[in-house]
Amino acid sequence: MIALGCDHGGYALMQEVIAYLEKEKIAYKNFGTNSEESCDYPVYAKKVAHAVADGECDKGILICGTGIGVSITANKIKGIRAALCGDCFSAKATREHNDANILALGARVVGVGLALEIVKVFLETPFSKEERHSRRIAQIEQ
Ligand code: RB5
């Protein structure tokens, strides 16, 4: 189950992400926002971060204008490793190396085509489980 959240700046791109998830038959839970009316990104970033941290959802996708606000907010929640990605290399590496559990996207930074490729890579790439990466991830929380 993928937790989804965005602000007004990410709303349009989130509709594209939802269409992609539905096409691929990937289950999701949408925590809003549900329109392009101005809103506060921390509200939605916290909902998604808690859903992932509590185990209600396996991973999350957060979108705001830059992706920065939602990633900063999500990373305040214990157990969350939110990665702001603007390219597929980073999306793959953050899954393999950081076991990132939330993908943050900047709707005003990346186009729809690239964003959906990033989503695909992020969701399909497993954590490497290599000892050095597990060790470093454990150090994040210490
Ligand atoms: C909203 O205008 C914008 O500040 C927000 O979407 C995001 O970019 C914040 O980091």
Side-chain angles (χ1 to χ4, degrees):
M1 179 70 74
I2 310 299
L4 304 179
C6 66
D7 73 353
H8 53 287
Y11 178 77
L13 179 56
M14 186 58 86
Q15 305 322 297
E16 302 284 349
V17 170
I18 288 171
Y20 170 77
L21 296 176
E22 291 184 349
K23 180 168 70 74
E24 297 298 321
K25 298 186 172 28
I26 298 170
Y28 65 88
K29 182 168 181 182
N30 188 2
F31 289 86
T33 188
N34 296 307
S35 77
E36 290 188 315
E37 188 178 334
S38 182
C39 65
D40 299 333
Y41 61 80
V43 172
Y44 304 98
K46 285 181 184 178
K47 287 182 184 190
V48 167
H50 283 297
V52 174
D54 297 348
E56 180 187 354
C57 294
D58 310 303
K59 292 193 185 80
I61 299 173
L62 285 168
I63 311 177
C64 66
T66 59
I68 296 171
V70 289
S71 59
I72 290 173
T73 307
N75 278 316
K76 296 276 185 189
I77 308 302
K78 188 170 174 55
I80 292 303
R81 294 177 300 281
L84 171 55
C85 296
D87 63 90
C88 293
F89 177 86
S90 298
K92 183 166 183 280
T94 198
R95 287 290 309 127
E96 290 176 340
H97 293 203
N98 315 121
D99 196 16
N101 48 17
I102 291 182
L103 169 67
L105 292 167
R108 296 171 184 160
V109 181
V110 293
V112 174
L114 175 57
L116 296 181
E117 284 296 316
I118 292 169
V119 167
K120 177 178 166 66
V121 169
F122 184 84
L123 295 181
E124 292 182 357
T125 304
F127 175 48
S128 71
K129 295 188 177 159
E130 287 177 37
E131 191 281 330
R132 70 184 195 282
H133 294 313
S134 297
R135 183 180 71 238
R136 291 163 188 163
I137 290 167
Q139 289 173 15
I140 294 171
E141 298 286 355
Q142 287 164 6

